[in-house]
């Protein structure tokens, strides 16, 4: 302001016009609340955009959580440790004291040794025709990891293991081939007799067990010769979510002096898997939401332009009674921002309701990040503000005389 | 208080001369009526006096301050704080109450909301609309709308009240009430400038200006303004 201008103001006794923030907010909100129906129609695009954003992200997160839950229960609780070199001389790496150390790790539910002998002839009597079947020896811990579902008879335990009792568990398919329907029946592995202790039809872990006969690990020495090269590994069942950690610690627990000679296989991190699922869904949803929000912004821009045209006289009046260009600009962008926010809030409510109803129907636990809701509402408001910039700038050029003559 | 010297204003491509060498002076407390046929330039004169429009040439002083070099922002502040406007078409904001419309006149002039509300109530009461402050202006009669417009114009305690055909959209009863209100405001010390094409309304002025083809002339009032006001507007 020039000195001459300030001097003129002093003589006339006038102060710079000022619009309080509260008045600006009130003026912006009034135009919205006076015509709620029109506001709702104007913001349909924004509502759809925000609803799509919240709903798709919410559904993506919910699905991801659901996938991860299933993953945890079925597969993500299993770790397998084996020697890098099958012929490694460190044959005692799966001995009991080492297994006890492994079992002591936080997150281990069960752990035990397994020895895979390879195929052996199996027959009901020494005179009958043998069939080749995989033979697996497990200790009580490994059997607990595999958790066979016994349909007939019972499973063996540490008593059978310590006494090297010649007992065997048969998968249902093998038992049917041999015509065995009850426990106590004798079968021959090679020329060694074993008593069938139980028959199982399913396992929780290690599905290859469904094609093998299972004997106590201590009895496998009676089935091997010096030329055999059985394969040893250690099976571990973990608490949900602990598999990756146990995977990192198992080799150290079993063979701290040479842990690199052991190979550990743990399932992929379910969180990574979930993030991948969510990421795919979110990329799609973000694209769709962006399109909807742009449509919403165009809708608000049209409405604001129409509003400026229909309110030329009002804008002229405001200029006549002292409103500066910045006041007109602020009010109109405030109105379009309020429209965007209004649409965003309604859209968020619609999106949250959609996720909740879908989860209810599918019996899922809805997982909703409230930050997503806040982002949707703020993004809608920002789009609304952007949509109002050009019409508001045009409105500042309205001259009071021309406007008041309308 | 207000002084025009050789002010000219031309409009459009055809260079229509709406105001030609207009020269006049208006004193504090005057009740000036500006009359003339449609298109004569009387509204142009009012717009320039009210700083709603700028002359092409000539000088316009307010309280001795030449306005030609002032910025649009300062002109807006002068309009907001020294002037009040009443229009033929009322120009109330539809969908808002009478109180909110009156408050609007003070939104841009540094009056806090509580005080604004108090003043708006008092002013509406003074124009006889104390019982209708919360009425949506769409439900008001023409006379009531114009009284709300007058209340809005005077709520900011202006020094000059500009009225452009204030009774142009009113019936005779409401015309009489509005004129009485304007005379009351003048009697309270307010400078009032009224544009009208109605000779009866024009005759109420203590000073009567006539505009014809852009030329402003002043005729002597039939009676001095104070005498007119003393008689309650009865001539």
């Amino acid at each position: 302001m020039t000195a001459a201008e300030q001097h003129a103001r002093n003589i006339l006794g006038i102060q710079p016009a000022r619009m309080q923030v509260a008045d600006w907010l009130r003026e912006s909100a009034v135009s919205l609340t006076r015509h709620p129906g029109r506001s709702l129609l104007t913001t349909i695009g924004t509502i759809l955009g925000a609803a799509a954003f919240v709903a798709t992200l919410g559904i993506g997160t919910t699905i991801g959580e659901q996938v991860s839950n299933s993953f945890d229960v079925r597969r993500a609780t299993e770790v397998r440790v084996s020697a890098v070199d099958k012929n490694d001389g460190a044959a005692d790496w799966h001995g009991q004291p080492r297994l006890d150390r492994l079992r002591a790790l936080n997150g281990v539910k069960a752990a035990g040794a397994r020895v895979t002998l390879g195929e052996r002839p199996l027959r009901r009597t020494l005179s009958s025709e043998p069939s080749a079947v995989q033979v697996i020896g497990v200790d009580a811990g490994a059997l607990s990891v595999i958790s066979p579902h016994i349909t007939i008879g019972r499973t063996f335990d540490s008593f059978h293991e310590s006494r090297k009792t010649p007992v065997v568990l048969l998968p249902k398919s093998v038992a049917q081939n041999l015509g065995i329907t009850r426990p106590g029946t004798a079968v021959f592995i090679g020329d060694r007799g074993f008593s069938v202790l139980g028959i199982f039809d399913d396992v929780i872990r290690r599905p290859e067990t469904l094609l093998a006969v299972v004997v106590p690990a201590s009895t496998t020495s009676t089935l091997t010769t010096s030329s055999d090269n059985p394969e040893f590994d250690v099976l571990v069942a973990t608490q949900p979510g602990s598999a990756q950690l146990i995977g990192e610690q198992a080799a150290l627990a079993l063979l701290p002096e040479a842990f690199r000679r052991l190979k550990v296989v743990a399932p992929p991190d379910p969180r990574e898997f979930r993030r991948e699922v969510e990421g795919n869904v979110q990329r799609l949803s973000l694209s769709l939401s962006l399109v909807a929000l742009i449509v919403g912004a165009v809708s608000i821009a049209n409405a604001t332009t129409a509003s400026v045209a229909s309110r030329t006289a009002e804008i002229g009046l405001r200029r006549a009674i002292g409103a500066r260009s910045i006041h007109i600009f602020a009010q109109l962008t405030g109105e379009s921002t309020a429209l965007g926010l209004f649409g965003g809030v309604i859209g968020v409510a619609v999106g949250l309701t959609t996720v909740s109803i879908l989860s209810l129907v599918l019996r899922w636990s809805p997982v909703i990040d409230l930050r997503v809701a806040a982002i949707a509402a703020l993004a809608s408001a920002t789009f609304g503000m952007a949509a109002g910039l050009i019409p508001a700038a045009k409105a500042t050029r309205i001259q009071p005389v021309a406007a008041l003559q309308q | 208080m207000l002084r025009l010297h050789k002010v000219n204003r031309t409009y459009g491509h055809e260079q229509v001369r709406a105001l030609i060498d207009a020269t006049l002076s208006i004193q504090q407390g005057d009740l000036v009526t500006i009359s003339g046929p449609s298109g004569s330039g009387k509204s142009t004169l009012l717009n320039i006096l009210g700083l709603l429009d700028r002359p092409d040439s000539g000088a316009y002083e307010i309280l001795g301050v030449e306005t030609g070099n002032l910025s649009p922002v300062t002109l807006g502040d002068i309009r907001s704080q020294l002037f009040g406007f009443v229009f033929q078409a009322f120009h109330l904001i539809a969908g808002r109450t009478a109180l909110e419309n009156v408050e609007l006149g003070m939104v841009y002039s540094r009056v806090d909301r509580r005080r604004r509300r108090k003043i708006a109530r008092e002013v509406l009461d003074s124009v006889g609309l104390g019982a209708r402050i919360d009425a949506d202006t769409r439900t008001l009669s023409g006379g009531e709308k114009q009284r709300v417009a007058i209340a809005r114009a005077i709520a900011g305690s202006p020094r000059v009240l500009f009225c452009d055909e204030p009774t142009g959209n009113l019936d005779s009863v409401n015309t009489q009430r509005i004129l009485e209100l304007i005379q009351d405001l003048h009697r309270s010390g307010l400078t009032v400038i009224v544009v009208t094409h109605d000779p009866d309304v024009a005759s109420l002025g203590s000073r009567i200006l006539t505009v014809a083809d852009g030329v402003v002339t002043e005729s002597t009032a039939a009676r001095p303004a104070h005498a007119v006001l003393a008689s309650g507007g009865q001539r």
Side-chain angles (χ1 to χ4, degrees), chain A residues 44-290:
Chain A
I44 278 180
T46 311
I47 291 172
L48 289 176
F53 184 79
V54 172
T56 48
L57 283 184
I59 290 169
T61 314
T62 301
I63 289 174
E65 189 68 21
Q66 203 65 25
V67 166
S68 130
N69 287 344
S70 305
F71 203 71
D72 280 346
V73 171
R74 288 288 166 193
R75 288 200 54 213
T77 56
E78 179 185 330
V79 174
R80 178 173 171 262
V81 187
S82 58
V84 174
D85 180 1
K86 252 174 54 171
N87 302 314
D88 197 315
D92 68 336
W93 64 268
H94 46 76
Q96 275 310 314
R98 296 178 183 275
L99 287 173
D100 286 342
R101 213 158 45 219
L102 176 62
R103 290 183 188 114
L105 292 179
N106 201 10
V108 172
K109 276 174 73 178
R114 178 176 72 166
V115 52
T116 304
L117 300 181
E119 290 189 345
R120 294 284 188 277
L122 178 72
R123 53 196 154 187
R124 179 80 180 271
T125 62
L126 284 172
S127 58
S128 56
E129 189 67 24
S131 54
V133 175
Q134 191 81 237
V135 177
I136 294 174
V138 293
D139 64 11
L143 191 62
S144 176
V145 173
I146 294 169
S147 293
H149 180 246
I150 302 292
T151 54
I152 294 170
R154 51 165 293 200
T155 183
F156 55 77
D157 52 30
S158 53
F159 173 81
H160 300 92
E161 173 72 12
S162 60
R163 296 295 186 92
K164 299 185 179 179
T165 312
V167 291
V168 63
L169 299 176
L170 298 181
K172 190 177 175 185
S173 57
V174 172
Q176 282 174 342
N177 282 342
L178 294 174
I180 296 171
T181 56
R182 60 187 175 82
T185 310
V187 294
F188 290 89
I189 302 173
D191 57 356
R192 304 286 299 181
F194 282 77
S195 174
V196 174
L197 196 59
I199 298 172
F200 59 93
D201 66 349
D202 198 7
V203 293
I204 295 291
R205 299 179 189 84
R206 310 312 309 181
E208 69 270 20
T209 313
L210 289 168
L211 300 172
V213 296
V214 182
V215 298
S218 56
T219 65
T220 56
S221 58
T222 63
L223 296 170
T224 54
T225 62
S226 57
S227 61
D228 283 336
N229 191 12
E231 187 179 334
F232 290 92
D233 59 6
V234 167
L235 306 181
V236 186
T238 71
Q239 301 285 358
S242 301
Q244 284 68 47
L245 187 64
I246 298 302
E248 291 167 11
Q249 298 174 343
L252 275 170
L254 287 169
L255 196 60
E257 65 276 22
F259 64 93
R260 292 189 194 284
R261 284 157 65 180
L262 298 180
K263 180 173 67 179
V264 180
V265 178
D269 187 349
R271 287 168 298 186
E272 283 293 331
F273 186 57
R274 186 174 70 189
R275 273 195 284 273
E276 196 176 317
V277 170
E278 285 176 3
N280 291 337
V281 175
Q282 283 172 4
R283 272 190 290 279
L284 178 66
S285 72
L286 282 173
S287 309
L288 292 174
S289 305
L290 193 65

